């Protein structure tokens, strides 16, 4: 008798389970689907810089693809470390993503004695969005006053006026900062480094005249170069840029052998974020970067779109960390 009632209870439980599954299965699945609310893309630099430009280029595409808003939020400070830390300590649920950079994940570990996050242990790479060259730009008035038209003109002027040139950057540890430090170490000139919380405020002071030189990311500097608000001398990449092919490389212009200091930008999630979410975001980013409109827009700004896989992006980050650790050591750059 007991066995009969136990078995009967089991049958009833299975029947009830099936009913509840039919009644609520779709609802439960919907609750577990991602995304069910807006997703934040944290940009660790100020609005108007290349990191911000690229994040705002992919955010609307992801919003359309997933039917939820992908909202860009700027969290500036400490060469990108403030924003990166925010994401590193966020829940790994896919609702907080970082637009990481060569600074946050390739340079800062070698430059800062203490980082508030581990660029490898605390993040899961999603995809490389784009790589860009940097460009050496100078204030127009200073260039006119000192007859600076080439990189060699600049070197000559700076050497004859030690300590009289201010070098702006978008923050300590950025490729903009390191490109300048590498330039200083290879030319033997001294310039005071003034870090900002992003390219946009630094560029304003470049135009205003309180800053003299900057090695900015090309996409954020290009409009000011084309409108004549700042003077460009050379790109810092190994090859000329298709967006501004008349500019020589620094190696070409000044004979600085092997000089290369380009930037890159990619999406990262907190470590432990579900693989399904990582793969879905990567696929949609890759798809959007391959559309003619987005591709042509990025190339016109000097950015080279990517959209590679998470595994490929991780390999790339590891190689970049090794490369920039050597640059930091060679330049002697330090940040307390």
């Amino acid at each position: 008798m007991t066995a009969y009632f136990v078995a009967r209870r089991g049958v009833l439980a299975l029947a009830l389970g099936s009913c509840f599954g039919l009644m609520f299965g779709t609802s439960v699945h919907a609750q577990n689907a991602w995304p069910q609310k807006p997703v934040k893309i944290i940009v660790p630099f100020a609005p108007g810089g290349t990191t911000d430009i690229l994040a705002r280029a992919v955010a609307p595409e992801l919003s359309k693809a997933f039917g939820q808003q992908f909202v860009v939020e700027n969290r500036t400070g400490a060469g990108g470390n403030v924003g990166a830390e925010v994401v590193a300590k966020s829940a790994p649920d896919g609702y907080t993503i970082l637009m990481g950079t060569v600074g946050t994940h390739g340079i800062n570990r070698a430059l800062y004695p203490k980082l508030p996050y581990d660029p490898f242990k605390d993040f899961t790479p999603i995809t490389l969005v784009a790589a860009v060259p940097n460009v050496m730009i100078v204030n127009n008035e200073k260039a006119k006053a000192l007859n600076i038209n080439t990189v060699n003109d600049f070197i000559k002027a700076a050497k004859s006026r030690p300590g009289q040139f201010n070098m702006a950057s978008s923050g300590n540890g950025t490729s903009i900062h390191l490109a300048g430090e590498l330039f200083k170490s290879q030319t033997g000139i001294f310039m005071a480094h003034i870090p900002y919380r992003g390219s946009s405020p630094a560029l304003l002071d470049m135009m205003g005249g309180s800053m003299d030189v900057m090695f900015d990311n090309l996409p954020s500097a290009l409009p000011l170069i084309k409108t004549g608000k700042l003077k460009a001398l050379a790109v810092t990449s190994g090859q000329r840029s298709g967006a501004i092919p008349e500019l020589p490389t620094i190696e070409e212009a000044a004979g600085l052998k092997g000089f290369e200091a380009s930037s890159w930008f990619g999406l990262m999630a907190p470590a432990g974020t579900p693989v399904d979410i990582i793969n879905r975001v990567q696929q949609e980013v890759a798809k959007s970067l391959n559309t003619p409109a987005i591709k042509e827009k990025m190339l016109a700004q000097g950015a080279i779109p990517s959209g590679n896989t998470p595994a490929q992006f991780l390999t790339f980050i590891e190689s970049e960390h090794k490369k920039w650790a050597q640059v930091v050591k060679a330049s002697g750059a330090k940040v307390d």
Side-chain angles (χ1 to χ4, degrees), residues 2-286:
T2 304
Y4 167 78
F5 281 113
V6 169
R8 193 158 184 260
R9 269 196 215 113
V11 171
L12 285 170
L14 286 169
L16 285 170
S18 297
C19 290
F20 279 115
L22 288 170
M23 292 168 62
F24 302 113
T26 302
S27 174
V28 169
H29 177 75
Q31 287 174 3
N32 290 334
W34 177 92
Q36 290 291 304
K37 61 181 181 179
V39 177
K40 288 190 293 187
I41 300 179
I42 301 295
V43 170
F45 297 99
T50 301
T51 320
D52 187 68
I53 290 169
L54 292 175
R56 293 182 191 279
V58 299
E61 301 302 313
L62 290 172
S63 297
K64 283 188 286 186
F66 290 105
Q68 282 287 349
Q69 288 298 306
F70 279 67
V71 182
V72 174
E73 183 177 309
N74 300 85
R75 299 292 291 269
T76 67
N81 292 343
V82 170
E85 182 184 11
V86 168
V87 178
K89 294 181 178 177
S90 294
D93 54 11
Y95 289 102
T96 308
I97 294 171
L98 176 72
M99 181 58 89
T101 71
V102 62
T104 60
H105 283 73
I107 297 173
N108 288 359
R109 195 181 193 186
L111 191 66
Y112 286 81
K114 290 183 181 178
L115 269 187
Y117 62 90
D118 187 301
F120 294 103
K121 293 180 182 178
D122 293 338
F123 292 90
T124 298
I126 300 175
T127 189
L128 176 68
V129 174
V132 306
N134 290 2
V135 58
M136 183 180 181
I137 48 178
V138 291
N139 171 265
N140 276 333
E141 296 306 313
K142 193 122 185 176
K144 286 177 186 176
L146 300 177
N147 197 29
I148 296 172
N149 294 298
T150 66
V151 177
N152 280 330
D153 290 342
F154 181 89
I155 294 170
K156 184 179 177 181
K159 282 188 173 180
S160 64
R161 296 165 181 81
Q164 294 182 35
F165 282 77
N166 290 325
M167 181 184 80
S169 83
S170 57
N172 286 318
T174 59
S175 70
I176 297 169
H177 170 205
L178 262 290
E181 294 295 342
L182 188 61
F183 184 79
K184 286 161 63 176
S185 70
Q186 289 197 12
T187 58
I189 63 176
F190 172 77
M191 298 183 287
H193 171 229
I194 313 296
Y196 287 75
R197 286 176 174 257
S199 283
S200 190
L203 289 169
L204 285 173
D205 280 358
M206 279 288 297
M207 288 185 288
S210 57
M211 291 292 112
D212 304 311
V213 63
M214 186 174 175
F215 295 79
D216 193 31
N217 302 143
L218 186 54
S220 48
L222 193 57
L224 302 176
I225 295 167
K226 288 191 170 180
T227 54
K229 293 177 180 176
L230 289 169
K231 186 175 184 65
L233 300 181
V235 290
T236 66
S237 48
Q239 296 179 329
R240 294 193 183 202
S241 169
I244 190 164
E246 66 273 18
L247 274 191
T249 66
I250 285 183
E251 182 174 359
E252 282 182 285
L256 301 181
K257 191 170 176 59
F259 190 102
E260 184 174 359
S262 298
S263 300
W264 53 262
F265 308 83
L267 294 175
M268 326 261 185
T273 299
V275 173
D276 178 60
I277 293 174
I278 298 294
N279 289 337
R280 287 172 64 197
V281 173
Q282 183 272 325
Q283 289 160 10
E284 292 301 335
V285 171

